[in-house]
Amino acid sequence: DVKVTQSSRYLVKRTGEKVFLECVQDMDHENMFWYRQDPGLGLRLIYFSYDVKMKEKGDIPEGYSVSREKKERFSLILESASTNQTSMYLCASSLPPTRTAKNIQYFGAGTRLSVL
Amino acid sequence: KNQVEQSPQSLIILEGKNCTLQCNYTVSPFSNLRWYKQDTGRGPVSLTIMTFSENTKSNGRYTATLDADTKQSSLHITASQLSDSASYICVVRTPAGKSTFGDGTTLTVKP
């Protein structure tokens, strides 16, 4: 059974703290993604990775960085957390794109981060 | 700007009733359209995925339609159950792999 695991369901951090959100998938997927989900804005892509040590900026990368040292693990880093980064963070993984692949994304349960 | 608009924003129905959720998009070029179900406090789970040539696809009590000419999709839920209460998210993907997410429709099924 497909599994994407996010290390924390809830996190509370203070402004200026460095925050690590961890995501692990057990499906040997090449692609991994980090989104944030906010009311009225839907899911917005922060960063994605198509391979180990490879990363690409998504639509809203400012204030975030990522790390993909191993294929199964994709970490999202908030270098200095701010209150506007309070959100639900969702990790996803999928197979690599091909001409006919439908690329279903499998999502983790999400991490609800509150920055005070 | 590529957009995905979903309607209604929220919907309340009685258990056993049918309902239809709408998704209109301007994303171009088009590769596929996916409907996800997201239970409260959980990540989205794929329900259906449709490519340009597919007009209708069913998954149990869920039936998705796609009109690629008018850039509209619908998700029809038959004989609703309490467990159908969730957010339903429409996602459109380009051939380059960029996904645009709708904001979702929140469905509440009441006994």
Side-chain angles (χ1 to χ4, degrees), chain A:
Chain A
D1 206 15
V2 163
K3 198 157 188 181
V4 178
T5 303
Q6 294 183 229
S7 55
S8 304
R9 293 300 305 275
Y10 301 95
L11 273 180
V12 180
K13 297 291 181 181
R14 297 231 175 253
T15 302
E17 278 193 78
K18 189 169 185 176
V19 182
F20 292 87
L21 303 184
E22 304 287 347
C23 176
V24 177
Q25 51 95 3
D26 64 359
M27 297 159 286
D28 202 35
H29 283 170
E30 281 78 2
N31 298 354
M32 295 189 76
F33 308 82
W34 273 107
Y35 295 90
R36 62 178 284 177
Q37 184 177 32
D38 302 286
L41 297 175
L43 274 77
R44 293 179 291 165
L45 181 64
I46 304 171
Y47 266 97
F48 61 98
S49 170
Y50 284 153
D51 203 350
V52 175
K53 297 192 185 294
M54 179 274 181
K55 59 185 179 184
E56 290 285 343
K57 292 181 179 179
D59 298 319
I60 51 164
E62 297 78 20
Y64 303 95
S65 62
V66 290
S67 173
R68 186 104 181 262
E69 294 297 318
K70 293 184 178 181
K71 190 176 185 180
E72 67 270 18
R73 186 180 297 270
F74 193 35
S75 304
L76 180 69
I77 304 157
L78 287 66
E79 294 290 342
S80 178
S82 62
T83 55
N84 63 12
Q85 292 179 310
T86 292
S87 185
M88 168 72 93
Y89 289 87
L90 288 162
C91 174
S93 74
S94 74
L95 289 169
T98 67
R99 290 186 64 185
T100 58
K102 296 181 177 179
N103 299 115
I104 292 174
Q105 286 179 305
Y106 297 89
F107 285 85
T111 296
R112 187 164 292 282
L113 172 67
S114 296
V115 182
L116 307 178

Side-chain angles (χ1 to χ4, degrees), chain B residues 48-67:
Chain B
T48 67
I49 181 166
M50 303 176 74
T51 58
F52 186 88
S53 59
E54 295 172 307
N55 300 119
T56 304
K57 182 167 279 190
S58 292
N59 177 4
R61 293 179 297 101
Y62 301 102
T63 299
T65 65
L66 174 65
D67 185 334

